[in-house]
Amino acid sequence: MQKKLFYIAMIAALWLPGLLHSCQREEEYAIDVAGIEFSSDTVAFDTVFTQMGTTTHQLKVYNRGDKAVCLNEVTLEGGYGSRFRLNVDGDTNMTARDVEIAAGDSIFVFVRANIRPNLLTEPFLIEDAILFRTDKGQKRLPLTAYGRNAIYHVPTDTLHNADGSPLIDGTFGKPYAYSVIDCENWRHDLPHVIVGYAVVDSRHTLSLQAGEELYFHNDAVLWVYDSATLEVHGTSEQPVLFTSVRQDGRYKTLPGQWGYVWLSKGSCNNMIDHACIENAYVGLLIDSCSNSNPTVRISNTQILNHSYAGIINQTAYVEGDNMLVANCGTATVVMQYGGDYTFTNSTFANYWRYDTRKNPSVFVVNTRNYSGVHYVWPLQARMADCIIYGNRVEGELYVELENDMVEASLVLNHCLVRGGEWDEDPKFVDPTKNDYHLAEDSPAIGIGYRYGDESQDTVSSILKNKKLKNK
């Protein structure tokens, strides 16, 4: 008898907590889910790379009724085989049970997606749904995600100082963790995801074809090393894309999500044609070349949404034509420590809106004071048929050139410059949406940036071959 009583007591002990945590009497709750509404009709993820989790989507579930609702279950329709995962008001179980929402109240549901690799080279759709159930019915909220397979470049080694300590990147404060790209076996049919430093090694060439896509993790860098070469062969219909790995919601255009493309000292014969480089700390970091050829020729390329600068040139030799460099936290283009630069038919537009920008958009400087020493470098810069404009009232071009000991000059030919001798609003269609086409009544018609238009007419002007005053 005592043994039987013991078993009854044990069963009661196991059953009672469930009773205590279950919903109260049914008559105190709405009898169905009619009052349940969602902050979104569908939870949709733009791009989910296989082997990588996504950012978390936040969903709010409202009870619009005049009675509390007890959800017996909040679960995924696909069950344990689903590629989505839930957090229901802090409950991370596959199925959250007895979820109460008071009348006029709400709860949060957080959703993540994780996609398994497969053999597909094109994006593929993953679908599921969240089920919100009561004893009297249920509501279904669709979940969708576009999965993509990719090639991953993950660090396999770290650079070290002579004493064996890790060499620290002065920009991001992290060790130089890197992988070396196998250029000869680079796959052109899948996007590439870069983590850390992906290095194009000496005497190797990375050739990118039309439509290729490179996605970068936080602080990631494509490093074109000494005597290495980067070739970008995009087209107007299929530009080569360099962007951040996070593509959902506001992250699709958010600056500062990855490091930069680095054409380091000694890299040579680089060319970039029809590319889009977006959402980094710096778009292109360009150092000096090892021969008399340009470090890089850039054409038909957009460099957008960078938290520090679009292009930083350091004692480099650069030729650029039909470029758009826009929306950067400090500068669209910097020419410093000397070099040779020619930019034609290009727009350098800066309407940075994330905080107050105090600096002009274009810098041309050949001096530097360092540790008590004054350095001066030779610098030649030519800009023809260009627009340098933005929302800085004081002007968008800063020139500091000393030519007593070296040759240094900036020549502007048919250029519209805010703060310059020809200063008129170029009337871009909508800078807030990165639309820098010229309105029909623009005073710059014929000399400014018109993406996709191979012909660039010039305008006769009395300002031809005049230098801008130092600002």
Side-chain angles (χ1 to χ4, degrees):
M1 183 65 181
Q2 288 181 342
K3 186 178 289 186
K4 183 179 292 186
L5 290 174
F6 173 77
Y7 285 128
I8 292 173
M10 288 292 293
I11 292 171
L14 293 171
W15 174 74
L16 185 57
L19 177 63
L20 292 176
H21 290 291
S22 65
C23 295
Q24 301 172 27
R25 293 189 306 275
E26 184 177 304
E27 59 266 21
E28 296 182 16
Y29 292 90
I31 62 173
D32 56 28
V33 290
I36 294 297
E37 296 181 3
F38 309 119
S39 57
S40 176
D41 293 334
T42 302
V43 176
F45 297 86
D46 291 334
T47 300
V48 181
F49 289 104
T50 58
Q51 302 179 10
M52 292 176 54
T54 62
T55 54
T56 300
H57 278 227
Q58 177 182 292
L59 171 73
K60 208 166 186 181
V61 183
Y62 301 96
N63 178 9
R64 304 296 194 191
D66 55 6
K67 283 188 176 183
V69 170
C70 177
L71 299 171
N72 294 350
E73 291 184 347
V74 180
T75 190
L76 290 165
E77 190 174 63
Y80 284 96
S82 175
R83 302 317 303 161
F84 298 91
R85 289 295 179 263
L86 302 179
N87 180 323
V88 182
D89 233 20
D91 189 338
T92 59
N93 291 316
M94 177 57 69
T95 299
R97 303 184 187 280
D98 301 325
V99 179
E100 297 185 27
I101 311 177
D105 204 353
S106 61
I107 63 169
F108 286 103
V109 176
F110 301 94
V111 188
R112 291 180 63 85
N114 198 305
I115 311 299
R116 292 193 185 100
N118 55 38
L119 299 178
L120 298 176
T121 57
E122 297 297 322
F124 51 92
L125 181 64
I126 302 296
E127 295 181 287
D128 203 343
I130 309 175
L131 303 179
F132 299 83
R133 289 172 172 161
T134 69
D135 288 337
K136 303 296 182 179
Q138 73 174 23
K139 278 199 171 179
R140 182 179 185 275
L141 181 71
L143 305 174
T144 63
Y146 280 95
R148 297 198 71 181
N149 291 296
I151 305 298
Y152 296 87
H153 301 267
V154 180
T156 57
D157 208 342
T158 303
L159 292 179
H160 292 82
N161 295 304
D163 61 2
S165 61
L167 183 63
I168 302 300
D169 178 349
T171 302
F172 303 117
K174 298 179 179 180
Y176 284 90
Y178 70 92
S179 61
V180 176
I181 294 173
D182 182 356
C183 297
E184 285 70 26
N185 295 302
W186 177 275
R187 286 188 62 173
H188 301 282
D189 58 339
L190 286 173
H192 289 251
V193 175
I194 292 175
V195 182
Y197 285 78
V199 180
V200 183
D201 209 355
S202 297
R203 296 181 296 279
H204 287 79
T205 298
L206 177 60
S207 181
L208 303 177
Q209 306 305 314
E212 291 202 49
E213 300 171 350
L214 281 70
Y215 293 88
F216 293 77
H217 259 266
N218 186 38
D219 300 341
V221 172
L222 177 63
W223 185 356
V224 185
Y225 196 59
D226 185 9
S227 302
T229 300
L230 173 67
E231 294 182 355
V232 176
H233 302 276
T235 66
S236 57
E237 295 79 17
Q238 292 186 300
V240 174
L241 178 64
F242 301 78
T243 190
S244 59
V245 76
R246 302 178 71 172
Q247 290 290 295
D248 51 313
R250 70 188 184 94
Y251 293 101
K252 193 172 183 64
T253 57
L254 185 67
Q257 295 185 71
W258 56 283
Y260 40 86
V261 176
W262 184 9
L263 307 179
S264 69
K265 183 178 180 180
S267 68
C268 55
N269 302 320
N270 299 287
M271 62 86 63
I272 300 173
D273 183 44
H274 284 101
C276 180
I277 305 171
E278 61 184 23
N279 306 339
Y281 175 68
V282 173
L284 288 170
L285 177 59
I286 307 173
D287 291 333
S288 58
C289 189
S290 59
N291 57 39
S292 59
N293 294 328
T295 311
V296 60
R297 290 184 171 92
I298 311 169
S299 55
N300 309 308
T301 289
Q302 300 186 60
I303 302 174
L304 309 172
N305 304 335
H306 301 289
S307 59
Y308 186 69
I311 307 174
I312 296 180
N313 303 286
Q314 302 181 142
T315 323
Y317 179 4
V318 178
E319 294 179 356
D321 179 66
N322 197 26
M323 298 166 51
L324 169 62
V325 189
N327 196 29
C328 301
T330 297
T332 54
V333 62
V334 176
M335 292 168 263
Q336 63 184 2
Y337 309 152
D340 192 307
Y341 309 99
T342 301
F343 295 107
T344 57
N345 302 313
S346 296
T347 294
F348 305 92
N350 210 351
Y351 293 82
W352 182 256
R353 61 186 182 276
Y354 293 93
D355 52 32
T356 301
R357 177 174 57 90
K358 299 179 181 180
N359 298 295
S361 180
V362 174
F363 283 78
V364 187
V365 180
N366 75 327
T367 68
R368 186 189 182 193
N369 293 313
Y370 182 74
S371 297
V373 180
H374 184 66
Y375 295 90
V376 182
W377 293 270
L379 188 153
Q380 303 293 324
R382 297 162 293 278
M383 305 181 78
D385 299 334
C386 292
I387 298 175
I388 302 172
Y389 214 80
N391 55 7
R392 185 177 183 270
V393 176
E394 297 88 343
E396 293 291 7
L397 177 59
Y398 179 84
V399 182
E400 184 179 339
L401 296 176
E402 292 186 15
N403 55 13
D404 294 337
M405 301 170 55
V406 299
E407 292 188 11
S409 67
L410 166 66
V411 175
L412 301 178
N413 187 338
H414 296 64
C415 291
L416 189 161
V417 182
R418 183 156 198 176
E421 296 182 23
W422 179 20
D423 182 353
E424 295 183 75
D425 186 344
K427 298 185 179 179
F428 298 120
V429 171
D430 192 351
T432 64
K433 296 180 180 178
N434 279 329
D435 187 347
Y436 295 98
H437 292 85
L438 301 176
E440 292 182 358
D441 59 342
S442 169
I445 287 290
I447 72 164
Y449 176 82
R450 292 182 296 171
Y451 189 72
D453 186 353
E454 297 299 329
S455 64
Q456 292 289 336
D457 298 330
T458 58
V459 175
S460 296
S461 170
I462 60 173
L463 301 176
K464 184 176 181 180
N465 292 328
K466 288 191 176 182
K467 295 183 181 180
L468 189 77
K469 298 175 182 178
N470 287 8
K471 291 288 176 181

